[in-house]
Amino acid sequence: MNKEVVVDLGWGVGIVVLALAASLARQQGLIDTDTVNRLVMGAIGLMVAWFGNRMPKRFVPSPLARRVNRVGGWSLALSGLVYAGLWAFGPFDVAVVGGCAAILAGLAVTIGYCLVLRSRSKAL
């Protein structure tokens, strides 16, 4: 099996195990519901940051594709870290709205950059 697939599956299994363990700890009275939510949502944000950080490191033959990967990697890594940070330290209402806005902003930057490069390449 491809090493990248194993890592990707590891992230998914890890988040499920974290969610199950946190739910068990909540049922035992060790942590509250807010802590469970913060742990799981923070892990999801770190996963987005991990994948965003890995994105530009993959080999891409086209110079334009490498530029898109670099911008997309940075925007998703940063938005994932903001998302995780908000869920770790912010109030819930701020974490929900700000976290979603951070992820959407990272996606918008990446998609916008792709559209700009596409229009520039057609002009050439």
Side-chain angles (χ1 to χ4, degrees), residues 4-118:
E4 287 186 25
V5 172
V6 172
V7 171
D8 297 346
L9 289 173
W11 268 104
V13 169
I15 289 176
V16 169
V17 168
L18 174 67
L20 291 173
S23 293
L24 179 63
R26 181 185 49 79
Q27 289 173 351
Q28 300 296 320
L30 300 173
I31 59 177
D32 61 356
T33 302
D34 291 349
T35 305
V36 173
N37 290 336
R38 289 183 186 278
L39 285 170
V40 174
M41 298 308 278
I44 290 170
L46 292 175
M47 180 187 68
V48 171
W50 168 265
F51 285 111
N53 184 48
R54 273 190 21 209
M55 201 168 96
K57 292 173 176 64
R58 294 185 325 199
F59 174 76
V60 179
S62 165
L64 289 178
R66 284 193 300 269
R67 289 171 62 185
V68 167
N69 275 338
R70 195 168 30 255
V71 169
W74 273 104
S75 66
L76 292 177
L78 293 175
S79 66
L81 290 174
V82 168
Y83 182 91
L86 286 172
W87 276 101
F89 304 112
F92 263 69
D93 54 343
V94 173
V96 169
V97 174
C100 290
I103 296 296
L104 290 173
L107 291 171
V109 166
T110 303
I111 292 168
Y113 190 71
C114 288
L115 294 174
V116 167
L117 281 182
R118 185 173 76 172

